[in-house]
């Protein structure tokens, strides 16, 4: 949500979560992918990745030790889903967007699937491209709009980026409602690096694509893997007092070839920070994503954010 927005697909989940957790009076499907939430700009800015350091043979460096610690934390987080809780050591983002591996660049047909089998699959188009620093990032507004419309139809009127912060988006909904989404914490592997072996690989092989955990620095591993764990704050504005919740999405992406990426995602929501910074996870969700490269955005699927 992390299209998973690119975050890549957080946006979808954001909207869904708003309806489920905040009382949004629209027809939302339980258990839809977190992709929407990530896409919605819930993706936090990634903590600066540690530069790869070539240690002397047999001599570990501080960088490699830190990377291993981050990877261990992500693996542990995944292993304990859905029994997550806050606070968690997810570094607060700055104004730098989440950077994806170079192989994310381009336009993709995304298909999300609820692994519980209780909800319909969704299909939408997402895209990634270079920012001013040359890093590959998700087109959050475009992706959020595409996912939101696949889920909500005309009830989603548009999505706007905050020009000062790529980690904040505003979705305009019918009924004079607005959903404000901001990434407030993140760990991810360094673009171009992967993650350590997933402790659930055996299960993933039987249920769907493998999942990644996210590290704040450079958790080194296979170059065809990318992990991101993001915590977002969502505020629903409309009639009455604003309604607030937090959503965490952990995504693991695996490149299977130049034209296909598969992912598995885990999500949970938490109450408003006003209820206390400490919180137990609610409404767990587990799904998979498949991205297939397109030459261009189909004319009938180019949403106007």
């Amino acid at each position: 949500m992390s299209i998973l927005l690119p975050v890549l697909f957080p946006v979808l989940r954001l909207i869904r979560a708003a309806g489920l957790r905040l009382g949004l009076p629209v027809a939302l499907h339980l258990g839809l992918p977190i992709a929407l939430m990530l896409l919605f700009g819930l993706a936090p800015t990634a903590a600066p990745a540690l530069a790869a350091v070539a240690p002397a043979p047999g001599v570990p460096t501080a960088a490699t030790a830190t990377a291993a610690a981050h990877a261990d934390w992500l693996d542990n987080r995944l292993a304990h889903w859905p029994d997550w809780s806050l606070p968690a050591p997810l570094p607060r983002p700055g104004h730098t967007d989440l950077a994806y591996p170079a192989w994310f660049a381009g336009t993709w047909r995304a298909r999300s699937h609820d692994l519980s089998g209780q909800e319909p699959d969704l299909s939408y188009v997402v895209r990634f491209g270079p920012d001013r620093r040359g890093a590959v990032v998700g087109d959050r507004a475009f992706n959020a709009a595409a996912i939101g419309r696949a889920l909500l139809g005309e009830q989603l009127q548009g999505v706007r980026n905050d020009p000062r912060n790529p980690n904040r988006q505003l979705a305009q909904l019918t009924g004079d409602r607005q959903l404000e989404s901001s990434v407030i914490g993140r760990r991810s592997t360094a673009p171009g690096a992967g993650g350590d072996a997933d402790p659930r690989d055996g299960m993933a092989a039987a249920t769907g694509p493998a999942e990644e955990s996210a590290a704040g620095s450079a958790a080194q591993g296979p170059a065809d893997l990318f992990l991101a764990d993001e915590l977002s704050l969502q505020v629903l504005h409309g009639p009455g007092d604003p309604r607030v919740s937090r959503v965490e999405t952990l995504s693991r992406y695996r490149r299977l070839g130049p034209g296909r990426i598969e992912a598995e995602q885990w999500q949970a929501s938490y109450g408003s920070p006003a209820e206390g910074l400490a919180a137990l996870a609610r409404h767990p969700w587990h799904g998979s994503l498949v991205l297939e490269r397109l030459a261009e955005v189909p004319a009938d699927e180019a949403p106007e954010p």
Side-chain angles (χ1 to χ4, degrees):
M1 255 215 76
S2 94
I3 53 175
L4 146 321
L5 48 175
V7 170
L8 242 132
F9 303 105
V11 172
L12 270 183
R13 292 177 184 125
L14 247 193
I15 290 181
R16 175 185 64 84
L20 297 179
R21 269 72 98 181
L22 301 179
L24 185 61
V26 294
L28 298 177
H29 300 289
L30 296 176
L32 283 177
I34 298 175
L36 188 58
M37 302 197 70
L38 293 176
L39 293 178
F40 232 112
L42 295 180
T45 332
L50 295 177
V53 177
V59 179
T61 65
T64 56
T66 300
H70 283 300
D72 288 346
W73 186 89
L74 292 168
D75 287 339
N76 185 65
R77 192 68 165 173
L78 171 57
H80 284 83
W81 183 89
D83 298 322
W84 289 350
S85 64
L86 295 178
L90 294 169
R92 292 189 64 83
H95 284 189
T96 302
D97 206 347
L98 173 64
Y100 288 84
W103 38 268
F104 266 89
T107 301
W108 303 81
R109 164 69 61 189
R111 292 182 174 84
S112 61
H113 175 61
D114 177 1
L115 291 176
S116 71
Q118 298 177 0
E119 301 298 332
D121 294 348
L122 291 181
S123 176
Y124 44 89
V125 174
V126 295
R127 63 191 184 190
F128 298 80
D131 65 5
R132 288 178 292 181
R133 301 172 299 132
V136 174
V137 300
D139 186 335
R140 291 184 187 277
F142 177 94
N143 295 344
I147 296 175
R149 291 202 172 118
L151 175 62
L152 299 175
E154 295 305 314
Q155 295 179 83
L156 176 65
Q157 298 182 331
V159 180
R160 293 184 289 113
N161 286 322
D162 183 337
R164 297 168 299 178
N165 185 355
N167 296 309
R168 180 176 177 272
Q169 279 75 39
L170 186 66
Q172 184 67 49
L173 305 172
T174 56
D176 194 26
R177 293 162 298 168
Q178 292 182 326
L179 180 62
E180 178 184 354
S181 303
S182 303
V183 174
I184 59 174
R186 170 193 292 145
R187 280 180 183 265
S188 67
T189 54
D196 290 348
D198 182 359
R200 299 187 181 188
D201 272 347
M203 179 192 72
T207 59
E211 174 186 20
E212 302 182 8
S213 24
S217 289
Q220 301 299 326
D224 290 335
L225 293 179
F226 179 70
L227 299 80
D229 187 4
E230 299 185 299
L231 179 66
S232 64
L233 179 71
Q234 57 187 32
V235 183
L236 180 65
H237 302 276
D241 295 333
R243 285 167 285 181
V244 182
S245 69
R246 292 166 288 178
V247 178
E248 180 180 354
T249 301
L250 191 155
S251 305
R252 180 175 192 171
Y253 303 95
R254 184 190 303 274
R255 178 177 61 168
L256 298 185
R260 185 180 179 90
I261 298 172
E262 293 187 354
E264 203 167 347
Q265 295 182 316
W266 285 257
Q267 182 181 46
S269 66
Y270 307 92
S272 167
E275 300 174 10
L277 295 180
L280 298 178
R282 316 170 182 171
H283 309 291
W285 180 90
H286 182 202
S288 64
L289 295 167
V290 174
L291 300 180
E292 296 179 315
R293 189 180 296 279
L294 299 175
E296 60 184 13
V297 177
D300 61 343
E301 294 192 54
E304 296 292 337

